[in-house]
Amino acid sequence: AVLLMDQLVASNVLLAISLSQAARVNRRHMITTGTAFALANTCLALGAVTLLWLHPVAVLLPVGLCAVLVVAYNAYASELRKRKSVDLLVQSTRYAQESTEADSVTRSLLSRAREMFVAEVAELTVFPQGEEPGTRIVLGPNDEYRRERIASLDPNDGVWTRVATEGRALRLARPIADLRLRAHYAERGIRDLMAAPLRRGDRVVGEIMVANRRSDVVTFSSDDLDLF
């Protein structure tokens, strides 16, 4: 019954993803992994019930084992995320060094930033300098790519002023606490974001941003901000 329910849930999830085209999923891996976890969890639960029936005190043994497994799994998952992030950083750096086309480098950088932080939107803004206009490049959902010129920037337009003044990255977790910023970004369909300064020598000349973490329950974390 548990295996049947797991297959039903996996099929519904795959159907929802296929209809929304939100992401590419390895279907065989998802179904195989779900089946293995369902089988293991069911065996563990039946073993605990059997112990509880035969010898109530003995049920503490699988409880202790489960606690150790949870801690070990969390540590493994954390290390796996760190390794993947480092790999993406290395790949991005290598591509930036090897490519000679600025537009290609920018698009690749934004694409990898979205992938690294599981975000819907990545954006790069180069501030106007004197008479020279600035540029904003956005890579949005469904790989929508657009470039626009910026004659001037409003100090109240988002967090770029704070990023430029403080010269450090910042994070606005979901829900955004500042009501003014929440209303401002809501007009652009942004729920949460991270922004970091772009430097040329000692000067901050722009801002890079990732926004809209693709999750209903998880937003950008302090670890994400350090990596960003």
Side-chain angles (χ1 to χ4, degrees):
V2 173
L3 290 174
L4 181 61
M5 179 60 71
D6 176 77
Q7 294 301 311
L8 180 61
V9 170
S11 299
N12 285 332
V13 170
L14 288 170
L15 177 61
I17 292 175
S18 298
L19 291 175
S20 65
Q21 297 181 344
R24 296 178 182 175
V25 177
N26 187 327
R27 301 183 181 184
R28 180 180 297 178
H29 175 75
M30 181 176 177
I31 292 176
T32 303
T33 303
T35 301
F37 274 106
L39 182 63
N41 290 336
T42 305
C43 290
L44 185 62
L46 290 174
V49 170
T50 303
L51 285 174
L52 184 62
W53 184 267
L54 298 175
H55 201 302
V57 178
V59 79
L60 295 176
L61 295 175
V63 170
L65 177 61
C66 286
V68 172
L69 289 175
V70 167
V71 172
Y73 174 78
N74 287 336
Y76 171 76
S78 176
E79 288 302 316
L80 195 63
R81 285 193 299 269
K82 291 178 181 177
R83 178 177 177 180
K84 182 179 179 182
S85 298
V86 170
D87 287 344
L88 284 169
L89 283 174
V90 171
Q91 292 171 16
S92 299
T93 303
R94 181 182 298 120
Y95 184 83
Q97 291 174 341
E98 293 175 353
S99 179
T100 57
E101 297 182 3
D103 192 63
S104 177
V105 171
T106 302
R107 183 162 189 157
S108 174
L109 173 66
L110 295 180
S111 177
R112 292 181 186 277
R114 283 198 319 173
E115 178 184 356
M116 188 181 301
F117 298 105
V118 198
E120 291 181 350
V121 179
E123 178 180 295
L124 186 147
T125 303
V126 178
F127 302 150
Q129 302 290 330
E131 299 297 324
E132 184 180 349
T135 304
R136 175 171 288 146
I137 304 170
V138 182
L139 184 62
N142 300 319
D143 291 333
E144 178 188 354
Y145 185 78
R146 73 176 188 273
R147 174 192 290 266
E148 57 188 40
R149 284 189 167 276
I150 305 172
S152 62
L153 283 172
D154 185 343
N156 296 317
D157 182 16
V159 295
W160 74 269
T161 306
R162 183 175 166 188
V163 170
T165 302
E166 298 179 3
R168 60 184 178 86
L170 61 87
R171 172 176 65 102
L172 298 181
R174 186 172 64 240
I176 298 175
D178 188 294
L179 296 180
R180 182 188 67 81
L181 288 175
R182 187 191 302 182
H184 169 78
Y185 282 114
E187 294 179 357
R188 298 180 54 191
I190 291 177
R191 304 182 301 273
D192 52 359
L193 64 92
M194 294 190 298
L198 294 175
R199 300 180 182 276
R200 179 182 295 160
D202 296 332
R203 296 186 302 117
V204 175
V205 296
E207 170 197 72
I208 184 170
M209 180 180 78
V210 290
N212 290 356
R213 185 69 176 264
R214 290 200 299 265
S215 172
D216 292 329
V217 295
V218 178
T219 186
F220 298 113
S221 67
S222 55
D223 288 340
D224 291 327
L225 185 65
D226 290 339
L227 178 61
F228 189 56

